[in-house]
Every structure is written in structure tokens, then in C-alpha cells.
Amino acid sequence: MSARSSIGISTMKKPCCKILSSYRNSLLFGFFPPRKMNHSMIDYLSKSQSKSVQCCIVDQKPHVIGYSKCLADPNRQAFFVADSNWVQFHSRGFISKFRVDKGATRGVLVIPNVASDNRNHSTFVEAHVNEKSFESIYMHGGLNVKPLVIERIVAGHDAVKQEVESKVDVNESSLNVDSLKGLTNESSVDRELSEIEKEAWKLLRGAIVNYCGNPVGTVSANDPADNQPLNYDQIFIRDFVPSGLAFLLNGEDDIVKNFLLHTLQLQSWEKTVDCHSPGQGLMPASFKVRTVPLDGSNGAYEEVLDPDFGESAIGRVAPVDSAGLWWIILLRAYGKITGNYALQERVDVQTGIRLILNLCLKDGFDMFPSLLVTDGSCMIDRRMGIHGHPLEIQALFYAALRSAREMLTVNDGTKNLVAAVNSRLSALSFHIREYYWVDMKKINEIYRYKTEEYSTDATNKFNIYPDQIPSWLVDWIPDEGGYLIGNLQPAHMDFRFFTLGNLWAIVSSLGTKKQNEGILNLIDIKWDDLVSYMPLKICYPALESEEWRIITGSDPKNTPWSYHNGGSWPTLLWQFTLASIKMGKPELAQKAVALAEKRISVDQWPEYYDTQSGRFIGKQSRLFQTWTIAGYLASKMLLQNPEKASLLIWEEDYELLETCVCALGKNGQKRCSRFAAKYQLLSLEK
Ligand code: GLC
């Protein structure tokens, strides 16, 4: 069956707005033709060149006036039925029915006759009823009447809530009232804003991209003087995270919700790079809202979401961090900060999480629990010698797995996946804690390593040649503290300090408590190297001379102490703030924010800074870079509301330490030690 879907009826005279997809056969967002759909509608669907999976329709203002989406997963088949007055959604025995006459949309949940848990009920209601703009459909005349005229949705939360005829706990069952205190509206934050913060908010709002009249994200940079924006005019998934956080902390959750749901749709895009289709579940690095004229429509237009999965990106880099990890992390943050967990419980969202996990947990040739990726597959999206198992990806992977573990609905269909997540979490943290950690003591051990050890219980498991210890490290490593190295491969340790990975090791508790303290300690001790004039260095030190030539491929953007090669990125500030607050040292973040404040506004919010001390605005740095602005705002708000920061971090999970960690005994036999991780913790904490 073709999963193509459309209610993008192009008979409208007014501008029409669609999310287009080249997706046809994916399980996710297809559209099962309504059983009661008339023939002309089915004809329309099968003949239409349009590939929309969802259509929102706007009038000329433009106002969003309607959305519809149907889900097509074998486990949660949903379909859509319309007659002259009602629109029904069918899903696993539930029928959600909406009155479609002029006036308020009404939602009636009928026939909750299938044994299922309350979460599914509430999910369903959330998905199709309690939305102002998403997936509510309001039309009069039904689908088989032309022209289709769609009016503005008036369906308010309350109006719908009153009409839900079921015992279902609609959606606020897990509302964390405390977490909403002081965050409920803009004005609560507006009151005490400094001039810089006011400017930042103005710029952040100016970076908002609307799709069909609703905010769905922020452009990555918004410099009016830039006449070559490349893809900086797109919504980058990773760049949106601090924007999303700033909005959430300011009580503005709609944009985040829209972003999460729209990017979820793009997950099911049919993606091809030179005739190769990357795995299902992948999310794009970025997307753009394009305005496309409707054929023969006399000036009418439609808005189209156009994703980039790396097929247009410079270097064709695989956006592994964006392709799901950041999305899951933001989804968790949404629940934690708003206290509204209904979004996570939605069936489509649950499926999205599962697809991402399936992709990440797929078996391959790899021998390690860490995720194997190509170069440039994260924030550093250029060749920088970070292929293999870079720390940044591992830390985000760990945080995403921990988020998913909290959010996955456990049932017969997911219990194996949950078990796989648990065992990967245990193995991953064991691996990183054991093999990525370096401090004075460990470096001294490596310095004295024997090599060429062929055995299952070798000390130097990865056959690291001590000569690899770089000369800068010998003097640089402090007596106190330490850090997680950038990458680990057979016979290769990348000793560079990568900031994002280390910060996320703290935030997610990938590192032990002692290691996390050690990392923050090192940042403090090495402040002049890692912060200096502008927080924070993306990595330390820079690659120079031959090394730069060989590793970056003579990249002129990544010259020493510039851009990804030791440049300073103010967006790292919010992550540093989270880590500092978590470790009980907010004063470090305060110091960094104060430093940034001295310059970022005057310098017009650059993307990055150059030179060893971060004194110059980056030579090719964009100005009015959104994640610089949002990162600053998020930091300020987190420092003002440290209790909010505590919602966004993870403490050590002792249950995970109980999970079996398989180790090889001296005799080469595999033994399963439930306590290996605990012993490791004890020995590392010594
Ligand atoms: C650069 C950065 C990348 C960011 C993008 C958009 O390519 O390396 O991390 O997402 O710009 O700001």
C-alpha cells in the first residue's frame, strides 16, 4: 500500500501550506486511506503528485487554520475518516471524533474498548484533541466537498477537555507544579532583564521561523549584512537546543513542541545520498521552510519543509548528534521543564524514540559499546580527526539513552528494547570510565605501558604506544583533576580535550562523581587555556603545522586556534553552566557568563572567536549567531533558577551499576559480573 498521504487539497484558492515529504513507504507517518473515504478522495490521494504527509492550510494573513496527520504504524494504525460533519481518527480500537462545524472544534473520544493502559489513552487525546494548532482539524463541508474552506482553529484546550467523554486522565497527570513556578509567562522573566538580555531576547525572537503561522524553530544565524548565508538560514537541530531551552525556561513551550513534532515528521523522510538510503529513524541536520508557488494558482503558495540529512551539507557529513540524540534530549527537557509528559507518551513520539534507538543500537562490526561514527558527525561537522569513537558522540549517546530509558513506555513491545538500552548504558559507562579517563596517575601508567600484549587480560588493551603521549600533555596535566580523552581506537588515543563531550559526561553522569569533579577542577585550573577571554574552547590544544595539514586536510577554516580547531564557542556556555551547577560550583559559570557579557553583545553575538586566548572574533564567524544568543540566555536563566538546572541533569544511576557487565576472566572465559561496574566505581572513586 502506498503510504503516501495527503489532505493537501489544492482546490483552495488561498495559499496552502504543506509539509512535503518524499516519503512513501516508511512505517511512520503514512496515511491509511480512510475506510469511508469516497472514491474521488482516494483517487486524489493515489494520483496526486503531492507527497505531503501533513497539510496545514493558511489563509492569506497567513493564519494557520488546520492540520491533519495520520499515523501508519502496524502497531498503532490510525486512520482518518470524514463525513460531512465529523472527522474521526481511528487508532487501535479508539475512535477520536471531532465535530467539524463552524465554531469550536469538539473532541469526543469514543469507544475506549480495548484493554490498554491509561498512557495510551492520554496519548491519543493529547495527539488529536488537546492541540491548538497541531493535528487538530477543523473544516466544514467535510473532505468530499469542494472547495475546501478551512477556518482558523478555535479549539481551545479547555473547550476540548470538557468534551472528552472518557475516564481518561487527559494529560496532566504527571504535572510537576513546582517545576512551573516562576516560569509561566514572558512577563515573569521580562521584569528583571538587563539591557543585554533584552537585546538577546529580541534577537532570539527575530530568529524564529514560522511554518504555517506557527513557530517551529530558529535560524542558525540572522545577520542582515550577510549576503552569503549558505545554510545558516536553516533550522539546525543541534543549534535549536539552546533556543528551545531558553524558550522552555521562559515558559514558552509551543515552539519547542512544534519543533519536536515537525522534526519527528522529517524522520520518516525518504532520504537518499547517491542512491543510498540511510537508516530509518535518522533525523536531519537541519531543515528549511520554503515557500513554493502552487501550480496555476494565481499567486497562491504553499510552505514546504525541506530537510538536509547531510546530502547537501558541506562535506556530506553525517549528523549523528542531530539525527536523534539531541532530539531525544530536548524531548526529555520539554517534559521535565513543562511538567507535561503527554507529549512523550504520544504514540508517534514513542515510535520516533524507538526508531532512533533501533538505529543507534543496531549491531555492526564494531567491538566496543561506544558508537562508531565518521568524521565531523557532531558539532564539529568538518574533518578534524574525530572519526571512530569521539567522546562528544558517546556523551550525547549516553544522555540520549538515559533520556529514552525514562521516556519509553514499557510494554511487551518495548521490553527488549528497554533491556538493550540498559545493558548498553552499563557497558558504555564502564568503557568510557575505564578507558577514556586520564589524569596524572593514568598518564604515568600509559607512559610505562608494555605493548604487543596478546592476551585477553592485557593491561594495554588497545596497544597504545607510550610515544603517543603528546609533549604538551606532559606539562599540561595538573596534579589534581583530569578529563576524558577525545577518542579511543586501536593503538590510538586522542589526548585533546574536547569541551562538549567532557561537559556532557558531567551533565549525564557518564563519568563517575570523582571524574566529573576532576573535569570541572581541570577546567578551573586550566581557565586561561580553556576560557581565557571568551568561554569556551571547543577543544584544546589546536592542531598545528603538519598535523593540521594531515588531519584537517589543510582546511583553511580550521587553521590553528580558529573555528573547530581550538576556536572559542560562546554557545558552550549553557552546557558549562549546567555542569557547574550540577557539581555545586555555579560561581564558575557566573564567572564565565560575566566574561562573555563583556563582549558578545558589543561584538554582535559571534558564532566563535579565534586565537589561543579567544581575543578576536572568528575570521569567518557569523554574527548574530542564534545559539550564541540562546546559550547566553539559557545560562542566565539557569543561574537564576538552579532548581531548573537540576531537572536537566542526571545523577549516578545505581540500578545501572547492577546490570551485568560481561568481562573476560584470566582463563579467557567470559564471566558475567553483576558487580563489575560497582567495583569499578569503588576503585575509581578511591
Ligand atoms: C557550523 C557548526 C555546526 C553548526 C552550524 C550551524 O557548521 O560547525 O556545529 O550546527 O554551523 O550553526
Side-chain angles (χ1 to χ4, degrees), residues 186-198:
E186 273 170 61
S187 55
S188 63
V189 174
D190 277 350
R191 262 180 271 129
E192 296 164 23
L193 294 185
S194 67
E195 285 309 307
I196 300 184
E197 284 168 277
K198 277 188 201 148

Side-chain angles (χ1 to χ4, degrees), residues 1-7 19-34 42 45-46 48 50-54 69-74 78-79 265 268-270 280:
M1 183 198 316
S2 165
R4 171 184 298 165
S5 69
S6 172
I7 61 159
I19 298 174
L20 291 191
S21 166
S22 59
Y23 158 73
R24 287 183 197 87
N25 297 313
S26 158
L27 294 177
L28 233 194
F29 293 109
F31 183 85
F32 288 102
I42 293 170
L45 290 175
S46 54
S48 167
S50 162
K51 302 164 197 162
S52 69
V53 285
Q54 186 185 66
K69 182 172 73 174
C70 286
L71 309 169
D73 181 304
F79 59 90
Q265 288 182 302
S268 50
W269 207 264
E270 185 185 289
Q280 207 191 17

